[in-house]
Amino acid sequence: MGFLLRIALLICSVALAACATAPKGPLSLQAQLEHRSTITLTLIETPSELLLVSASLPDGGGGKFVIDTGATLSSIFPDVQARLTLQPSETTSIRVHGMIAARLQPLTELPSLKLGGVDVGPLPVAVIPRAKENSGRADRFLDKDYDGIIGMDVLSDYHLYIDKTAGFLKLIPQTLGAPNMPNDWAVVELTRNPFLEDGRKLHFFQLRLGNALTPALLDTGSQFNMMNWNTQRFPQLRAVKRRLRKNWEINGAIGAFQPVTKILSKNARAGQKFWSDNEFLVLDFESLDVLGIDGKPFVIAGIPLLKEVAVLIDFENDRLYFAPDGRTRNMIVVN
């Protein structure tokens, strides 16, 4: 009995020791930001205000990449492919859907891509052409001094922390679990594609503009907020579109009618987050019907909605958090 009792006591002691060293709950946001496995990246200033970061390429040189939550696959440009002497896949290509057009692009493999010293490769990437500046059509990228895009194939493994004001971005591994967020951060619920079950790792939320809720794609790769022409939900746009068509016809009516205008939203809201004075470009997203939009009201929530305060995107648990901005203090929200 004495021997068995000693064994039982030993087991209890080991169990208690394990309980004493185990985490008592989820890590705080601050603890995750400071964790040794978190990748810290300095944001490079750029006129487009996109999230541009440095990375190390396979040839040992440096590169600059845009962090893009609206891209399902990471990509590089043809001149970067040539510089790295990467061979395109002979059997596989991918259809890349931009704002306006879709085209078939080759795939290649990036042997390595280091972010903050952490190698996220090898990585299959699309080879996409650089945007042209002469279209006047709200191109996604206007800068020429970067090498590619880091998309959701990489980002979905992390919580994405963005602090534009402080000038840095952090990739927090999802293995650390959902962070214990401060109580005063505004929460916005994220969803997968509300139009179509397509398996893409894109994230949407419901944005209230005026009295209407509109699905919005969370897209850090867009330097603009955008919305499609939907004159039923926003009837004041009907007269604008008629005027644009009249001017187009007077000027010669060559090609397809592709109107673009701009509106100012004085009050927008998603979940617990409020915005004021945000501009939205209004245009047709012709190639994005692959998402199942099919003419329904749709918004692309670009970097302007994410730059005023620190933001955390929890892709795994479909949560978007905004640091306090002072505007909602002492405000009671009545639905």
Side-chain angles (χ1 to χ4, degrees):
M1 288 293 294
F3 176 75
L4 293 176
L5 181 59
R6 284 195 297 274
I7 293 293
L9 289 173
L10 178 61
I11 292 173
C12 287
S13 299
V14 171
L16 288 172
C19 290
T21 57
K24 295 182 179 180
L27 293 174
S28 68
L29 172 61
Q30 191 61 37
Q32 290 201 358
L33 293 174
E34 297 173 354
H35 198 275
R36 62 181 179 276
S37 62
T38 293
I39 302 171
T40 300
L41 302 171
T42 300
L43 291 174
I44 302 169
E45 289 190 15
T46 171
S48 68
E49 296 191 318
L50 294 175
L51 304 177
L52 191 64
V53 299
S54 294
S56 296
L57 293 168
D59 62 354
K64 297 177 183 178
F65 284 76
V66 172
I67 301 294
D68 187 356
T69 62
T72 57
L73 185 68
S74 298
S75 57
I76 58 174
F77 298 120
D79 54 294
V80 179
Q81 178 194 14
R83 190 177 83 217
L84 298 175
T85 63
L86 301 177
Q87 297 302 312
S89 170
E90 296 181 356
T91 59
T92 309
S93 58
I94 186 171
R95 184 167 295 277
V96 176
H97 295 265
M99 299 291 182
I100 307 303
R103 64 179 70 186
L104 207 60
Q105 301 295 150
L107 286 172
T108 190
E109 183 172 277
L110 203 56
S112 68
L113 182 68
K114 291 183 179 180
L115 298 171
V118 177
D119 196 345
V120 297
L123 198 63
V125 292
V127 182
I128 63 173
R130 293 184 181 273
K132 294 181 174 60
E133 292 184 277
N134 60 359
S135 70
R137 290 275 315 181
D139 288 322
R140 290 169 67 84
F141 306 113
L142 300 181
D143 296 321
K144 299 296 184 182
D145 60 343
Y146 57 94
D147 299 281
I149 299 162
I150 295 174
M152 289 301 297
D153 52 327
V154 173
L155 301 176
S156 61
D157 291 332
Y158 298 91
H159 307 312
L160 181 58
Y161 181 86
I162 306 164
D163 193 333
K164 288 278 291 180
T165 302
F168 67 86
L169 175 150
K170 288 179 179 277
L171 298 175
I172 305 171
Q174 286 191 3
T175 53
L176 296 181
N180 186 9
M181 297 297 296
N183 292 330
D184 56 351
W185 283 49
V187 184
V188 176
E189 300 285 339
L190 298 176
T191 68
R192 298 303 170 93
N193 189 343
F195 302 108
L196 181 71
E197 292 186 12
D198 55 10
R200 292 181 173 89
K201 296 179 180 180
L202 302 178
H203 292 260
F204 296 72
F205 60 90
Q206 293 292 326
L207 180 67
R208 184 176 293 279
L209 293 170
N211 296 320
L213 282 173
T214 304
L217 171 65
L218 181 63
D219 188 356
T220 61
S222 176
Q223 68 185 96
F224 307 105
N225 299 320
M226 306 186 197
M227 60 187 297
N228 61 348
W229 287 96
N230 190 277
T231 56
Q232 290 181 339
R233 177 157 298 186
F234 303 103
Q236 60 269 40
L237 291 176
R238 194 174 295 123
V240 175
K241 196 169 186 177
R242 282 200 301 265
R243 187 181 72 246
L244 291 173
R245 174 174 282 277
K246 183 177 180 180
N247 292 338
W248 176 74
E249 291 172 347
I250 290 173
N251 289 328
I254 297 174
F257 177 56
Q258 297 178 329
V260 179
T261 191
K262 185 184 293 185
I263 65 170
L264 176 65
S265 169
K266 300 296 291 185
N267 292 289
R269 173 188 167 193
Q272 299 173 337
K273 175 63 179 173
F274 295 80
W275 292 272
S276 61
D277 295 336
N278 262 282
E279 292 183 343
F280 288 78
L281 289 179
V282 184
L283 66 159
D284 287 318
F285 307 123
E286 296 151 359
S287 79
L288 294 187
D289 283 344
V290 67
L291 297 178
I293 298 168
D294 193 26
K296 302 180 185 73
F298 175 64
V299 165
I300 291 176
I303 205 65
L305 291 184
L306 302 173
K307 68 180 184 179
E308 62 178 19
V309 295
V311 176
L312 179 86
I313 310 174
D314 183 343
F315 296 113
E316 183 179 25
N317 299 291
D318 290 322
R319 297 287 188 277
L320 173 60
Y321 298 93
F322 292 85
D325 60 12
R327 287 199 296 268
T328 57
R329 188 176 301 162
N330 301 321
M331 180 180 291
I332 298 175
V333 178
V334 179
N335 292 316

